[in-house]
Amino acid sequence: MEGRGRRRTKAVRCAACGAPNAASARFCDQCGRILASVARAPGDRRIVTALFADIVDYSRLVTELDAEEVVGRIDEAFGLLAAAVERYDGAVEKFIGDAVFAVFGARRAHDDDPLRAALCGLEMTSSLEQVAHDRGEPPLRLRVGIATGEVVASVREVGDRTDLVVTGDTVTTAMRLQELAEPGEILLDEASVRAARQRLEVEVVGEHAIRGRAEPVRVHRLRGERQHRLVGAAGPGLLIGRVADRARLRDALESTHRTGRGRVVVVIGDAGIGKSRLVADMEEEARGLGFAWTWTENLSYTTGEYYAFARTFAQRLADEHGTDSGSFARRLLFTSDIDETTTRRLAGAVAAIARDAEFSGWEAEAALVPADPADIRRSLGELTARYVRRLAETGGPRAVVIDDVHWADRSSRPLLDQLIKIVTDVPFTVFVTTRPGSIPAWAPLAHVELLELSGLDSRGTGRLAASVTGTSLGDETSDWLHERTGGNPLFVVETVRALLEDDALVMRDGRLELGDPSGVDRVPVNLRALLGARIDALQPAARAALQVASVIGMSFSPALVSELLGGAPADDALAVLAESSIVDPAEAGGEWRFRHPLIHDVAYAGMLSSRRRELHGRLADSLESGPLPPQIGQLAHHRAASGDRERAVPLLAQAADAALAVGAVTEAAGYWRTAAVLLGDDPRAGEFRARIRELEIAVSPRATRGR
Ligand SMILES: Nc1ncnc2c1ncn2[C@@H]1O[C@H](COP(=O)(O)OP(=O)(O)OP(=O)(O)O)[C@@H](O)[C@H]1O
Ligand SMILES: [Mg+2]
């Protein structure tokens, strides 16, 4: 074979006999069977952020330099770009000529992929500048385009290589934005900016028509990272509800105020439930009691950095005193009352933290860092204790916020634990926020209490929504919104924004109500990303059960889930979902339920359409062959969703009649609408449309409201 000059680069293994074959082969050399050289494993639909970065000066280099030198420079640049992608846990999908294509959230979703992509873009630019600066050469400039939206992510196996392929509009948009960018510019689409606006400085460039997109895209230029997150100011208007929760936090402050002893409150709740907002609201209260206020946050993408939390903490205190963290630590720690050995030990501990960080002014002490990791750890414990005690001695009572402790980096954790233990002896109140499933080990300590935040009630939901729209909502609409979002403030705000954008709210008797029912079920992109990340974090068995359950509907029986999973028991998987607050177990023989429709819709939307159709079909079969006569509406819905038009249409008509018989006009119109959509160009569709029109004339517009 070699003799015939065929290069055996990538082997394709024959699925039947396992023999390796040339990548270009269509039949197996060994057994003669056809080779499935490009096999696709099923994928999913997900929200990702795509980034294209193109090296502008590539063609200039080619004309100016020797080809070998160009290759060297470009390889080096690609190395730096890839390192930036890796740092933010994205994946380089491809190098294309002089450009790199990276995706954030394709292999694993984070709840801040757009932010990660934007920061990655900034780092790409600055690392190219840095290298050029070090060499005294002009930097290679980049054009960067970033877009966020839905793609189909599938696994493509070519030979023994497995590639993840992402396909969708979003990829094209990112590429077009990159083409549109000026040298040195990073352009973002609206969805990316929305999701990351709290941490980015951006300006609007304008609306641009983009090939392949029906609507023009609003383009933003990235100017940089916002230094301090707009905590507290991040939401519209006043804090809504949370009366009892605020009282708990105030109690802790007052107790410290009274006794001079520290208290710790751990605020627990899902993303967006309002942990940071609640804690931020205590600042005025704390200052009113004469407390200093220190806010420290942990970021999802610094979890892998050494001493990230310790550095933030030291930095915030230094900021408060108008100095840098190195000098502040020196001033605070080394007083005349400690002996030389202690001084050296503490200095070694600070230098250990400074070593891996931009913590200047401690280079001279680097030699004092102990060689034995156990010694470093011990002296860090001593350092933390002294730092905290001195802080209390010099600065008096203080409220310290440790936001998102679940993202604290590993090396800082012992320091953080130590801080929590010793605050009982100093007048510090510590507010810690965390997500469920990540309760710190020190939670049982006597001076630590837990505060679980739940969603706002229906009234609170309505008030929050009104703070976004500027007009009150009708009661029914507030109830619908509460039901849909579980009262999670972030979900409420984003859902209302989407409704406003889609003109789905109409004014009736001075209040806003849901208008056209189509579109009210749309899940805003950033919520899909956020909830998608929560689903991604589940173990595969739980994820599979969740998807199957979402096909069944908002409520489901474990038996049916198990049947659709091929008979495997689903109890363990469902228990995991309940623990993750995604579903609620059945009460007294009833059915299990999704916590709120948003999470249901996101789980459902994450499946490939082909998989959804298959599951709906199997579900309809199972309903038909079950011991009880199936509920006709349900059966019609599953037949329709399986794409089985011929079986679905008569069922839909039957379901509509049954609905009309009990006066459920909205439901009846819904069945006819589905039938009309399924039928498409078929003349029978006209008949259904006519019936919907008749019904609409017969009843008030209120009757066509969504669920
Ligand atoms: N009680 C409230 N009243 C008004 N707005 C609120 C309230 N709670 C939260 N919000 C708003 O909802 C959004 C989400 O809140 P927040 O950022 O505090 O959530 P979180 O629980 O800290 O989420 P994460 O786990 O992602 O940090 C913010 O815009 C916030 O201002
Ligand atoms: Mg928060």
Side-chain angles (χ1 to χ4, degrees), residues 14-18 31 33:
C14 171
C17 72
C31 70
R33 286 199 178 83

Side-chain angles (χ1 to χ4, degrees), residues 235 238-240 270-277 404 435 464 489-490:
L238 291 171
L239 184 83
I240 288 162
D270 290 332
I273 201 81
K275 302 180 292 295
S276 305
R277 178 65 196 259
D404 292 327
R435 298 207 181 147
L464 180 58
L490 178 72

Side-chain angles (χ1 to χ4, degrees), residues 198 229 231 270-277 295 403-404 406-407 433-435:
Q198 282 193 33
R229 189 175 169 184
V231 246
D270 290 332
I273 201 81
K275 302 180 292 295
S276 305
R277 178 65 196 259
W295 184 286
D403 201 16
D404 292 327
H406 49 276
W407 282 327
T433 71
T434 191
R435 298 207 181 147

Side-chain angles (χ1 to χ4, degrees), residues 113 220 247 251 453 470 594:
D113 282 307
H220 303 255
D251 278 354
L453 282 195
F594 276 84

Side-chain angles (χ1 to χ4, degrees), residues 34 124 136 199 223 247 280 294 345 383 414 420 447 545 595-596 606:
I34 193 156
M124 285 175 156
R199 293 199 55 95
R223 299 188 37 204
T294 311
R345 236 187 2 256
L383 168 70
I420 296 294
H447 65 296
R595 199 35 94 76
H596 48 74

